[in-house]
Amino acid sequence: MRKIMYRMVMIILAAMLVLILGGCAGVNEKKIKDQEIINRSEAIAIEYLKNNYKLDVTITQKKILPKMAMSRVTIYGYVTGHEDQTFSVYKNYETNKQESFGYSKQLKKALNEKGYNIQYYRM
């Protein structure tokens, strides 16, 4: 009877270990995938600002929203050398397209002085 109980306990412990390790692997894979999405989104945001506004930027924060909410990554930062000229770029990580560009009043003013006709404030 004791041997049977011992075997049952060992089988249950082994099964629990397999389930725990399998769950951890899934979580780790999601973190890796999310980090790839964030890295790709950051590169697209930097390229967007460089190509469209000739801006060199410093990224300060990156957020990914769950797919069930919105397939969006938000990249925050400022124009390098001008910390008051802040921005946010929203990118859809399913389509890899930039959806929105928000900016501070200071960045709007700087862009208008460069000849970009920014009509309204978005941040």
Side-chain angles (χ1 to χ4, degrees), residues 12-68:
I12 290 171
L13 287 174
M16 288 174 57
L17 183 63
V18 167
L19 289 173
I20 290 170
L21 291 176
C24 290
V27 169
N28 201 25
E29 286 177 22
K30 181 174 176 5
K31 285 183 180 181
I32 291 169
K33 184 178 178 185
D34 285 355
Q35 190 58 51
E36 289 173 357
I37 290 169
I38 289 169
N39 291 344
R40 185 172 58 243
S41 298
E42 180 179 3
I44 289 171
I46 291 169
E47 182 180 344
Y48 169 80
L49 294 167
K50 184 81 165 170
N51 291 342
N52 290 294
Y53 300 103
K54 297 178 181 36
L55 295 174
D56 290 318
V57 298
T58 301
I59 303 302
T60 57
Q61 188 178 7
K62 301 163 259 193
K63 288 184 182 178
I64 186 169
L65 291 176
K67 192 174 186 176
M68 66 182 162

Side-chain angles (χ1 to χ4, degrees), residues 60-110:
T60 57
Q61 188 178 7
K62 301 163 259 193
K63 288 184 182 178
I64 186 169
L65 291 176
K67 192 174 186 176
M68 66 182 162
M70 295 177 90
S71 302
R72 178 185 280 179
V73 175
T74 306
I75 307 295
Y76 300 93
Y78 60 88
V79 176
T80 303
H82 303 278
E83 291 187 30
D84 61 330
Q85 296 178 13
T86 59
F87 66 86
S88 59
V89 175
Y90 305 95
K91 183 197 148 294
N92 183 309
Y93 59 80
E94 292 207 332
T95 63
N96 280 330
K97 292 188 179 179
Q98 178 264 334
E99 290 183 337
S100 181
F101 171 47
Y103 42 82
S104 66
K105 290 179 182 178
Q106 294 84 354
L107 181 52
K108 176 186 172 189
K109 180 180 177 192

